[in-house]
Amino acid sequence: MRNLSSKSNRNRKWIVLFLTPVGVLFVAFFLYPIVFVTILSFMEWNGIEPMSFIGIGNFRYLFADSVFRTSIQNNVIWALSAALLQIPLALVIALILAREPRGWRFFRTVYFLPNVISLVALAMMWTALYNPEFGLINHLLERVGADHMTRNWLGEIETALPALIFSYQIYIGYFMVIILAGTLSIPKSFYEAAMIDGANVFQQEVHITLPAIRGIIITAGTLAVAFALRQFETTFLMTAGGPANRTPVMGLYMYRRMAGLTYGRAAATGVLIIVLGIVVLSALQRVFGKADAVEDARQ
Amino acid sequence: MPVARDALTETPLAIRIVARSAKWVILVLYLVIAITPLLWLTVSAFKTNLEIEIAPFSLPAVWQFRNFANAITISGLHQFFLNSIIVAVVATTLNLLVTSMASFVIAREEFALRELFFTATTAGVLIPIIAFMVPYYTLITHLHLFDRLWALIITYSAINIPISMFLVSSFMKSIPRELEDSAEIDGCSFVQRYWRIILPLARPGLVTAGTFSFIYCWNEFIYALLLTSSRSARTVQLAIRFFTSQFRTDYAGMFAAIVLTMIPTVAVYIFLHDKIISGLTAGAVKG
Amino acid sequence: MRRNLLLGLLVVALLAFSVSTLFAGAQREAAEREIVLTWPSIWVGQDSKADVMEEIVNEFNQQHAGRIRVVVEPQPDYDGYEDTIRTRLAARRPPDIFTFKLSPTTAVYYSGDLLMDFSADLGRDGWGDTFNQGNLNASTMGGATKSLPYEIGFTPIWYNTELFARAGIDRFPQTMDEFWEACEKLKAIGVVPTSQMTGGTNSWTSMLWYTHFLGSYGGPDVWERAWDDRAFEQAAAIIKRLYSDGNTTRDAIGADAGVSSGHYMNERTAMFINGAWFIGRIRDDAPDVYRATELAPAPKAGNYHGHQVGWLHTNLAAAHTDDPARREAVVTFMRHLTSPENAKRVSLAAGSLLAVEFELGPQDQLDPLQAKFIEAGNQAEFLIDHMEASMPVDVVYELGQALGSMVLEDRSPREFVQMLQAAEN
């Protein structure tokens, strides 16, 4: 007993030492700015003159603004698209590649490449693809005689948001890489045993792979949802929130308030992005389970 | 995984054929989606500006090789490469070092506030970092790091903490505990457990987090613009913007510059990620 | 093995890094005796003023070698530039010298003591007299001139005389009836009449069309009027029609400036609006269209005709300083930059119109299209500011959305104006 407690005492020193670097950076680059932004969210500030306290005035303004309410709604749609579209697709592709079909390394590399390309260039390509005058999508539709289906994809109310979200699926490779790396740590012996029992491929995936990488899938899912919630560059570059205020997201709304020198409203938006993130992620955790710290993969 | 393939023989032929073709349809379809941007960007880099604007999906009438020469002469791209490499390599190394230490403790030790520490540091993924322009600028100037590469190194390694913590800790958690227990019995110290046992086994996670961090550092623009000002501390992303101006963007030159700046990231991805991950076998876990 | 390789890489990187920081430190030290002014500038890289600005700064540095040195920090990305300036002002550390667009939003930069007040210096040796007095007055608030007027925006309607001739139109329409008739003739030969756009941060081309018609309905002081003034609605009705019946391209909703100008250069559209800075681009990329281009004021829609859209586009500013020597250095540089001869050089080399007055001699070679710009400016009955110079940033953002709403959801011009008004708060 004595031995054990002295060991944990000795470890405590190391634990503190190992946590300190991240702790320091976290305090400087996350805690301090968050405190700053939170305080600012209760202030009126144009960035030049002194701040003045206005209570919940900024939040009241935001909820009274229909563009902001549309932004929240769009953010939820983006988050759901990440959880229900992006992650399942990434998972399917990762599972296929994990079985190392012919050329899988090539596929894995190419699938990830869109993540390397600058956002500006990607946005330009998509905007050009969707353009109704010279875009490739309408051109192909016309070729197959479906002229009635041609549209101004990013400029029409019904299609703008779906078109944006579709274009974002190009980043699936990011989450595929995470999941694929997760499958590498599953011992092969697990499958050998299953095979002796006569399990087919689908049964193996459902009973062995998925439980083993559940934690990684949830990690990838959390990241995907978080990225979708805070993304605004794709929207900014491709539709700038249009047409007719149909595609704004909270990040874009915040950026615009900064440009309009209403820093208090921008800060309040930032705070609400984080709050919405916590709400959406906890709701998803209820449905899909939690990425627990120690529990998984030791079964 | 030859063992897995054998299992298919147990399945009826029809299902096997459907499954196999579905697999290839998915793989090829997504291959087209994923490779189009790269092809488009590369072909566009050989076009004229007007061609890019009015005929974005045609081949260039004349292949403009001089776009690439312009890309280097106008932006001085080569001068910024070294800065970008230093920032990305040092920031990623620093980030992996600190997050792997913290993740190790979180994944493998029991202590008070463990849950809180993990939640707090990883909740950072929810934050739209652009909200922090004023605080980051203030912080960096107070640290007297403005316009130095260290400003970007520290900022980037901090910004990537949440993602790396998430990835590295979840990979470390999946390492069987028996390995460590036996090591401890063999007399391994705390640091040795971290450096000799957990770190090598968590390599897929480290490599994944490192790849993401490197790409982030390489492509980040707005803080690079805000926290540096002179040529001596600027990165390639700022060089790319030399093709834009208030009223006019030279897309041809910009695309050529983008293609050139992508080469290192693609190389890092292929070599670091592919080689290191491929070098691992699942059997390693068995110890 | 592999770990050694990684460690080796790390060591090499750290070494390279420390060497490079040492080098940067040495550079800084050498410069300590003289006054160094940093100028984050957008007039670099591909900007048409880049070369001539570099010359002017270099000359200044040579003349004042050992005493004053202006260091230009290139920042070609304009959105990023505005983000940076805004943030640095909020952190109370403005750059020594910088530029900004003076608008109702940025006018707040004048409050407090962040910016240097040039009013006393402008009174000395007639410096103030070299500026266009209207622009100088616009840059003076409460007696303080905390930024100097520099570049002027001037945006007449561009039209392609080739296409007009082909459609059987012999002159630019003077009335709205003539204008709509011309549109029909152009459409009959398969040409789209106008370039429009709702994208980007300010719906550039359409914002200028709207401002042109606003001037025709509301006259020179239209921006001082309240939102319920009929002019705002009447001009919106014209824009709505320009977005319907094939009067603009199918991609106009959501299009950015590249798309809008691309259609004009590709002869897909016959009319377009932009400033003199676009001359170089069109001359290089579409020489035929460049030669066919003429400039015109908007047709008469309301009571006014013959006006143009022109505004103060860029102001020069400097950080306030209590050090008299530093202050003197800034003023010396500003006087150099805004001297009539340097203004003339910039204008001739870059096609810019400036708020500094200078005389053109017969030997000065002007681009033909630029000469037309100057002529159009001289002939203008009056000038009105474009929307971006007259309204808060939030209203300018909302313009594209309100246009989209009016066209796609068939909202009335009144509702369009209400959307803009709502964005003002």
Side-chain angles (χ1 to χ4, degrees):
Chain A
M1 276 310 272
R2 189 161 10 108
N3 193 13
L4 201 78
S5 78
S6 83
K7 180 201 136 194
S8 84
N9 266 340
R10 204 174 59 233
N11 277 358
R12 188 166 301 149
K13 246 188 347 210
W14 284 113
I15 288 172
V16 171
L17 199 70
F18 268 50
L19 291 177
T20 304
V22 167
V24 169
L25 286 174
F26 178 78
V27 168
F29 284 88
F30 288 95
L31 199 59
Y32 149 66
I34 285 176
V35 170
F36 175 85
V37 166
T38 310
I39 293 173
L40 194 52
S41 70
F42 297 101
M43 302 283 179
E44 184 170 358
W45 191 40
N46 60 23
I48 307 292
E49 291 161 310
M51 299 179 191
S52 60
F53 180 77
I54 54 161
I56 58 163
N58 290 321
F59 294 95
R60 201 175 280 159
Y61 172 87
L62 294 183
F63 285 108
D65 184 355
S66 66
V67 179
F68 182 75
R69 293 196 304 266
T70 313
S71 305
I72 298 184
Q73 197 185 321
N74 288 342
N75 267 59
V76 172
I77 295 173
W78 274 94
L80 289 177
S81 81
L84 304 178
L85 193 63
Q86 209 166 17
I87 290 299
L89 285 172
L91 179 63
V92 167
I93 292 176
L95 291 182
I96 294 174
L97 292 188
R99 290 189 171 264
E100 307 184 357
R102 197 176 316 144
W104 69 283
R105 272 170 217 217
F106 169 73
F107 284 117
R108 186 183 58 186
T109 307
V110 174
Y111 288 175
F112 187 75
L113 286 182
N115 291 286
V116 175
I117 301 176
S118 95
L119 274 167
V120 179
L122 266 183
M124 279 193 62
M125 182 197 73
W126 281 109
T127 319
L129 277 170
Y130 286 134
N131 185 292
E133 293 268 334
F134 48 69
L136 196 60
I137 293 177
N138 278 2
H139 181 73
L140 292 177
L141 286 171
E142 278 160 19
R143 271 287 174 83
V144 300
D147 294 51
H148 60 286
M149 285 177 71
T150 64
R151 287 167 168 275
N152 181 5
W153 297 95
L154 289 171
E156 284 178 31
I157 287 169
E158 301 78 29
T159 52
L161 188 62
L164 274 179
I165 291 179
F166 180 80
S167 75
Y168 197 69
Q169 303 314 312
I170 202 149
Y171 294 120
I172 283 173
Y174 193 96
F175 306 103
M176 176 211 73
V177 162
I178 298 177
I179 298 172
L180 196 54
T183 61
L184 287 173
S185 54
I186 306 172
K188 271 202 175 125
S189 54
F190 286 19
Y191 294 97
E192 283 154 15
M195 224 118 36
I196 293 163
D197 298 343
N200 68 25
V201 175
F202 300 104
Q203 289 162 337
Q204 289 172 30
E205 298 296 12
V206 172
H207 296 297
I208 301 169
T209 319
L210 288 183
I213 59 169
R214 187 175 147 267
I216 301 287
I217 296 173
I218 291 173
T219 298
T222 309
L223 287 177
V225 169
F227 291 168
L229 276 171
R230 68 178 205 200
Q231 85 77 23
F232 81 97
E233 292 92 342
T234 300
T235 305
F236 177 68
L237 293 166
M238 284 170 63
T239 66
N245 279 322
R246 285 311 200 282
T247 62
V249 286
M250 291 161 85
L252 178 63
Y253 189 93
M254 179 181 74
Y255 180 69
R256 292 245 151 121
R257 300 291 83 78
M258 286 162 72
L261 299 182
T262 44
Y263 279 97
R265 290 171 189 170
T269 311
V271 168
L272 290 176
I273 293 174
I274 299 171
V275 171
L276 181 72
I278 294 169
V279 170
V280 170
L281 283 180
S282 355
L284 287 173
Q285 275 183 358
R286 273 180 184 231
V287 182
F288 297 104
K290 196 174 170 215
D292 188 79
V294 193
E295 156 260 337
D296 45 65
R298 259 194 300 137
Q299 327 96 331
Chain B
M1 226 185 262
V3 273
R5 220 172 282 140
D6 293 344
L8 279 169
T9 53
E10 309 286 326
T11 321
L13 184 70
I15 296 183
R16 241 163 62 201
I17 291 172
V18 170
R20 185 162 291 217
S21 26
K23 179 176 86 180
W24 284 105
V25 167
I26 294 172
L27 287 182
V28 171
L29 196 70
Y30 196 64
L31 182 73
V32 172
I33 294 178
I35 211 164
T36 307
L38 196 66
L39 287 178
W40 180 80
L41 186 65
T42 312
V43 173
S44 297
F46 287 98
K47 293 162 91 166
T48 65
N49 274 303
L50 197 62
E51 282 175 326
I52 291 171
E53 275 175 2
I54 64 179
F57 301 102
S58 322
L59 289 177
V62 180
W63 291 74
Q64 309 283 336
F65 289 93
R66 70 196 166 106
N67 287 349
F68 285 87
N70 286 349
I72 293 169
T73 50
I74 291 176
S75 65
L77 204 56
H78 51 289
Q79 300 170 25
F80 300 99
F81 258 102
L82 183 65
N83 285 344
S84 269
I85 289 171
I86 292 167
V87 167
V89 169
V90 181
T92 300
T93 313
L94 188 63
N95 172 271
L96 288 183
L97 184 70
V98 300
T99 54
S100 66
M101 283 161 66
S103 300
F104 165 68
V105 173
I106 282 180
R108 317 302 292 189
E109 296 290 326
E110 293 288 341
F111 60 95
L113 303 179
R114 171 174 148 278
E115 193 81 15
L116 178 74
F117 192 92
F118 180 73
T119 312
T121 48
T122 52
V125 287
L126 292 170
I127 292 165
I129 289 293
I130 192 148
F132 291 168
M133 288 181 78
V134 176
Y136 280 7
Y137 182 80
T138 313
L139 184 69
I140 292 298
T141 46
H142 280 289
L143 293 172
H144 299 288
L145 291 177
F146 179 72
D147 199 25
R148 283 167 190 266
L149 290 182
W150 275 113
L152 299 183
I153 290 171
I154 294 191
T155 308
Y156 292 168
S157 52
I159 288 175
N160 280 305
I161 282 177
I163 297 175
S164 296
M165 284 291 288
F166 246 125
L167 291 172
V168 177
S169 66
S170 77
F171 277 89
M172 283 184 176
K173 278 166 215 159
S174 65
I175 297 165
R177 183 149 294 245
E178 300 80 46
L179 283 176
E180 235 177 317
D181 291 344
S182 59
E184 215 163 344
I185 291 162
D186 293 346
C188 261
S189 72
F190 191 88
V191 179
Q192 281 172 326
R193 268 200 296 138
Y194 160 72
W195 189 255
R196 291 260 166 83
I197 298 177
I198 298 300
L199 217 48
L201 289 176
R203 212 158 41 188
L206 288 171
V207 171
T208 307
T211 310
F212 292 169
S213 161
F214 187 94
I215 289 168
Y216 178 88
C217 298
W218 196 265
N219 286 340
E220 205 283 334
F221 169 68
I222 196 74
Y223 282 106
L225 183 66
L226 182 67
L227 303 179
T228 68
S229 61
S230 65
R231 280 176 176 268
S232 64
R234 297 222 131 167
T235 58
V236 287
Q237 291 306 315
L238 299 164
I240 289 172
R241 308 296 166 125
F242 269 86
F243 297 95
T244 67
S245 68
Q246 201 173 357
F247 301 111
R248 174 175 181 171
T249 301
D250 173 7
Y251 294 114
M254 186 166 86
F255 286 174
I258 290 175
V259 169
L260 291 177
T261 55
M262 272 173 53
I263 294 170
T265 23
V266 173
V268 161
Y269 179 68
I270 292 175
F271 287 107
L272 251 137
H273 199 94
D274 259 36
K275 294 284 180 253
I276 296 182
I277 285 211
S278 309
L280 294 172
T281 56
V285 176
K286 284 183 226 155
Chain C
M1 236 317 255
R2 202 170 287 125
R3 189 180 303 154
N4 286 345
L5 187 74
L6 279 177
L7 274 175
L9 271 177
L10 181 66
V11 169
V12 169
L14 280 171
L15 264 176
F17 176 60
S18 42
V19 167
S20 74
T21 42
L22 280 176
F23 194 64
Q27 279 180 330
R28 276 189 192 111
E29 211 152 301
E32 240 163 49
R33 270 176 231 108
E34 58 192 1
I35 294 176
V36 176
L37 302 172
T38 53
W39 177 17
S41 171
I42 43 167
W43 296 323
V44 292
Q46 298 281 83
D47 192 279
S48 53
K49 288 186 278 308
D51 294 341
V52 63
M53 278 294 166
E54 195 179 339
E55 279 171 34
I56 290 174
V57 170
N58 286 344
E59 285 164 15
F60 178 84
N61 286 341
Q62 263 163 29
Q63 282 166 24
H64 299 86
R67 285 169 293 135
I68 313 172
R69 193 159 55 92
V70 174
V71 178
V72 170
E73 295 176 339
Q75 296 218 353
D77 184 276
Y78 194 73
D79 286 342
Y81 185 71
E82 287 196 327
D83 289 341
T84 309
I85 296 298
R86 194 188 306 133
T87 307
R88 293 184 64 165
L89 285 167
R92 312 202 68 74
R93 286 166 186 265
D96 296 330
I97 297 166
F98 63 99
T99 54
F100 69 99
K101 290 183 195 169
L102 190 57
S103 80
T105 300
T106 56
V108 71
Y109 293 172
Y110 272 48
S111 59
D113 60 353
L114 284 169
L115 303 191
M116 186 180 287
D117 178 7
F118 294 100
S119 47
D121 311 279
L122 286 163
R124 276 193 285 160
D125 337 308
W127 185 25
D129 302 334
T130 59
F131 291 90
N132 174 303
Q133 294 306 299
N135 292 322
L136 194 60
N137 288 338
S139 308
T140 306
M141 292 177 218
T145 312
K146 292 193 176 184
S147 64
L148 299 166
Y150 190 67
E151 191 176 9
I152 304 286
F154 180 76
T155 50
I157 295 174
W158 301 40
Y159 66 104
N160 185 325
T161 51
E162 265 308 295
L163 297 178
F164 268 55
R166 225 185 291 161
I169 311 161
D170 47 8
R171 60 165 193 167
F172 193 82
Q174 302 295 303
T175 66
M176 282 319 284
D177 288 343
E178 279 176 39
F179 182 79
W180 296 123
E181 203 182 309
C183 287
E184 293 310 315
K185 285 181 181 167
L186 287 164
K187 283 186 273 184
I189 60 159
V191 171
V192 177
T194 68
S195 276
Q196 302 284 347
M197 58 176 269
T198 70
T201 49
N202 53 16
S203 314
W204 184 245
T205 312
S206 290
M207 175 183 76
L208 296 171
W209 279 106
Y210 182 64
T211 310
H212 268 280
F213 288 116
L214 204 52
S216 184
Y217 284 111
D221 65 339
V222 65
W223 292 117
E224 268 112 74
R225 302 194 190 180
W227 281 112
D228 55 10
D229 191 277
R230 295 261 301 146
F232 293 101
E233 231 176 279
Q234 288 167 318
I238 290 184
I239 299 296
K240 187 175 182 182
R241 187 161 167 195
L242 280 173
Y243 268 89
S244 338
D245 310 328
N247 287 326
T248 188
T249 51
R250 204 181 162 191
D251 55 7
I253 302 268
D256 62 16
V259 170
S260 154
S261 59
H263 285 316
Y264 183 74
M265 288 195 285
N266 191 29
E267 305 198 298
R268 177 108 178 90
T269 60
M271 287 178 268
F272 161 71
I273 304 183
N274 214 341
W277 49 79
F278 199 68
I279 294 173
R281 172 78 205 275
I282 195 170
R283 193 173 50 207
D284 295 349
D285 288 354
D288 293 341
V289 181
Y290 161 74
R291 279 188 292 273
T293 293
E294 288 288 341
L295 308 173
K300 185 171 189 289
N303 294 323
Y304 303 89
H305 188 223
H307 60 284
Q308 287 289 1
V309 175
W311 68 97
L312 188 50
H313 190 269
T314 309
N315 278 30
L316 298 163
H320 171 81
T321 169
D322 290 325
D323 175 355
R326 245 186 124 66
R327 191 191 149 81
E328 197 48 45
V330 170
V331 171
T332 311
F333 177 67
M334 289 296 194
R335 292 187 74 134
H336 175 79
L337 184 58
T338 61
S339 70
E341 63 269 32
N342 279 337
K344 182 170 156 184
R345 281 166 73 189
V346 171
S347 190
L348 289 176
S352 309
L353 305 172
L354 298 180
V356 179
E357 288 171 348
F358 53 86
E359 296 293 323
L360 277 176
Q363 75 286 3
D364 295 317
Q365 286 290 311
L366 266 186
D367 176 279
L369 193 50
Q370 199 194 352
K372 289 174 195 164
F373 261 83
I374 291 171
E375 196 192 322
N378 292 336
Q379 284 177 356
E381 297 285 324
F382 61 90
L383 294 181
I384 69 165
D385 283 348
H386 72 345
M387 182 186 252
E388 207 174 5
S390 327
M391 285 285 152
V393 167
D394 290 335
V395 175
V396 180
Y397 283 149
E398 191 67 5
L399 177 68
Q401 307 308 324
L403 284 171
S405 182
M406 181 164 71
V407 175
L408 297 173
E409 302 175 294
D410 198 24
R411 293 287 161 85
S412 68
R414 164 151 291 270
E415 287 168 304
F416 164 88
V417 175
Q418 282 163 351
M419 276 182 83
L420 296 185
Q421 187 177 6
E424 200 177 4
N425 311 302

